[in-house]
């Protein structure tokens, strides 16, 4: 089972600590806000314009909406609202358009990160982002530290367990996901019949699974059933910024793609809406398994 | 330019030599048959059932149609027609269905290859295929040896040349293609804005380019133009069986995907219908470039 026993955050927050959330799409930022509110630590939410899809779920919290292009005003805004800890959560599908940026002093501080980010991939940008924020005295924390109950546990989490042939698929997809992760291209791969057949690029996991669904009719997969999705952190990944995650829609899409199950790395992945994930996987006969992680759970 | 000056094959065929072609889809097997016929070496063509799309182009040659599942009768057929050299050419999109195979002695000889192939990828199957054929005394040759004029030359082959930013894309896509090649997953990758954004899996290069076209509207590619397709041999690839190739439709699809050009490895890739490829690329403003290959041009 996912670790539902945890009710407190994994952080020891001082009485005057205030957590800011940079919120993107999906349910993770909502779950983080709720976990903080439950402990009497109402968060300050920075809604990323055009990315947050569960807008009304943030109605109870103090908030501001920020365009990606206005990243220059992020630090002054956080300071004004006495934010001491910052967590980024949810997917940001857009990238800032340089042409839409207003030049100001706040933005200038980000220019080195932006220039590097243009050619070196998201993970580099995220690491620079963390460094830049922390230089201002705000501590950047990971979603897994605030909602440790979402962190994937090790072992089989569902009624169904991988068969021997599924473990071959898991190994093949895991190796592929690690290889493309090392190149900072994607986090996920699908294997069928003991071979990786589809790799995640910029289209994301939903796109990868939709493609897998369409590939089922492909001649080279003739007669092949089952298969798995493996999603894992990149080697050396900044865990405070972009932890791999799955949720109920991942289970639905994996099932639609004809897969037998999903594997993630324990301690280095999040399972959003864990009880729903497990219930849907059980109803559909899919397995969800947490693999032993090759690296420790905390970012460098 | 592609090497159009070559008019003879790169093979010294004895007067009584006869070349068999295992033909799949696309124009490569047609070009091979014509090149042989031009030298008075009319080939014996094994048409792979359901794969050959230019069927009437083989009307002039002695031929037989074989289902993938009837691979067991391949060697006796080749022997009966006095085939001394064999080349496989064109894409085979299906994989044999074990359930459709008739058990006979000829098939039994292939069982070890089939079993290994189930889990170890196409490249392993192809190597075993070559070994099995050669044990029977038939020499397996590469398409590049019969039609050396199709082998990609080094350097810029078109009027347009890569810009500095395109070289960054070429480097990124080349590294990605090599990485997935090392895992025997695919041969091609697309990079945009200095980063690999889409990787070839079982869907093939056409599928990869169609996906790239669709991804152009993706937020994470906002404002990014150009980009390249790189296609290259896997490290240690059996060049006699599955040489990477591009053709006119690759140019059209790359253009439709908004890419600025295509790069292949010189000496280890084929450019089918080379004059048409160059003419269409020039008309569309795309570059086609042959990269120095990291490995020698001949298979191991």
């Amino acid at each position: 089972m996912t670790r539902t026993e945890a009710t407190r955050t994994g952080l020891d927050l001082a009485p005057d600590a205030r957590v800011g959330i940079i919120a993107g799409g999906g349910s993770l930022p909502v779950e983080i806000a709720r976990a903080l509110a439950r402990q009497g630590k109402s968060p300050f939410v920075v809604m990323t314009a055009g990315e947050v899809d569960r807008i009304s779920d943030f109605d109870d919290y103090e908030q501001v909406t920020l365009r990606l292009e206005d990243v220059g005003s992020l630090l002054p805004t956080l300071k004004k609202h006495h934010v001491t800890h910052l967590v980024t959560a949810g997917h940001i599908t857009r990238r800032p358009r340089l042409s839409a940026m207003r030049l100001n002093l706040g933005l200038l501080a980000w220019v080195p990160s932006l220039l590097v980010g243009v050619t070196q991939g998201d993970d580099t940008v995220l690491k620079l982002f963390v460094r830049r924020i922390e230089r201002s005295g705000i501590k950047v924390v990971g979603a897994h530290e605030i909602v440790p109950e979402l962190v994937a546990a090790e072992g089989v989490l569902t009624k169904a367990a991988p068969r021997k042939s599924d473990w071959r698929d898991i190994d093949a997809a895991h190796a592929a996901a690690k290889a493309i992760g090392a190149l900072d291209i994607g986090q996920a791969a699908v294997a069928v019949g003991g071979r990786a057949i589809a790799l995640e690029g910029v289209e994301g996991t939903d796109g990868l699974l939709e493609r897998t669904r369409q590939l089922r009719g492909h001649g080279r997969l003739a007669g092949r059933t089952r298969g798995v999705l493996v999603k894992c952190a990149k080697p050396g990944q900044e865990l405070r910024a972009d932890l791999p995650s799955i949720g109920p829609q991942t289970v639905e899409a994996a099932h639609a793609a004809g897969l037998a199950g999903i594997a993630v790395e324990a301690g280095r992945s999040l399972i959003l809406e864990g009880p729903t994930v497990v219930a849907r996987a059980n109803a559909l006969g899919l397995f969800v398994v947490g693999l032993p992680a090759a690296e420790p759970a905390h970012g460098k």
Side-chain angles (χ1 to χ4, degrees), chain A residues 162-201:
Chain A
R163 302 176 187 171
K164 199 176 160 196
S165 66
D166 296 327
W167 281 110
R168 278 199 298 272
D169 288 344
I170 289 172
D171 288 345
H174 198 185
K178 281 289 176 201
I180 62 174
L183 292 164
D184 200 12
I185 297 171
Q187 297 182 321
V190 169
V192 174
R195 297 187 55 194
I197 60 137
L199 307 173
E200 183 188 58

Side-chain angles (χ1 to χ4, degrees), chain A residues 158 162 170 209 227-231 246-247 250-255 259-264 277 281 286-290:
Chain A
T158 45
I170 289 172
L209 289 171
V228 300
L229 167 75
V230 174
K231 196 165 180 182
I246 63 169
T250 319
V251 173
E252 301 291 345
H255 178 253
L259 300 181
I262 300 170
V264 295
V277 162
L286 267 69
F287 61 79
V288 177
V289 57

Side-chain angles (χ1 to χ4, degrees), chain A residues 72 103-112:
Chain A
L103 202 63
N104 58 33
L105 275 178
L107 177 61
L108 279 181
W110 292 95
V111 166

Side-chain angles (χ1 to χ4, degrees), chain A residues 22-262:
Chain A
I22 299 186
S27 62
L28 180 59
V30 178
E31 299 210 30
I32 289 175
R34 286 182 184 159
L36 288 165
R38 275 197 301 272
Q39 301 165 58
K41 290 272 175 206
S42 189
F44 174 70
V45 184
V46 179
M47 314 270 278
T48 311
E51 301 286 351
V52 179
D53 44 7
R54 295 181 53 177
I55 295 178
S56 62
D57 283 311
F58 294 101
D59 282 352
D60 291 344
Y61 316 113
E62 196 178 358
Q63 60 177 263
V64 65
T65 298
L66 204 71
R67 298 189 316 148
L68 283 176
E69 287 78 8
D70 295 332
V71 61
S73 62
L74 176 62
L75 271 178
T77 302
L78 296 176
K79 285 294 185 188
K80 196 173 100 188
H81 291 85
H82 309 291
V83 167
T84 57
H85 294 69
L86 185 69
V87 58
T88 66
H91 28 262
I92 309 278
T93 56
R94 277 212 310 126
R95 289 298 170 267
R97 277 167 301 139
L98 294 178
S99 59
M101 291 189 164
R102 273 191 301 274
L103 202 63
N104 58 33
L105 275 178
L107 177 61
L108 279 181
W110 292 95
V111 166
S113 319
L114 291 168
L115 288 180
V116 172
V118 166
T119 53
Q120 291 197 21
D122 286 353
D123 208 41
T124 310
V125 184
L126 294 171
K127 281 176 180 165
L128 287 166
F129 174 85
V130 167
R131 202 180 306 160
R132 179 77 194 82
I133 295 278
E134 298 214 316
R135 262 213 315 268
S136 77
I138 294 173
K139 187 167 166 48
V140 177
V141 296
H144 58 295
E145 298 174 83
I146 299 189
V147 281
E149 66 270 27
L150 301 188
V151 175
E154 193 172 323
V156 177
L157 310 177
T158 45
K159 283 188 208 156
R163 302 176 187 171
K164 199 176 160 196
S165 66
D166 296 327
W167 281 110
R168 278 199 298 272
D169 288 344
I170 289 172
D171 288 345
H174 198 185
K178 281 289 176 201
I180 62 174
L183 292 164
D184 200 12
I185 297 171
Q187 297 182 321
V190 169
V192 174
R195 297 187 55 194
I197 60 137
L199 307 173
E200 183 188 58
V202 77
E203 75 278 11
T205 307
D206 290 347
L208 172 71
L209 289 171
E210 169 59 19
R211 179 159 86 253
T212 302
R213 191 184 66 73
Q214 293 168 4
L215 283 170
R216 278 290 169 184
H218 194 285
R220 285 174 66 178
L221 296 181
R224 297 278 160 79
T225 57
R226 303 182 69 84
V228 300
L229 167 75
V230 174
K231 196 165 180 182
C232 62
K234 302 159 192 176
Q237 177 157 347
E238 172 51 76
L239 296 183
R240 288 172 295 178
D242 188 26
L243 220 55
S245 66
I246 63 169
Q249 88 290 352
T250 319
V251 173
E252 301 291 345
H255 178 253
L259 300 181
I262 300 170

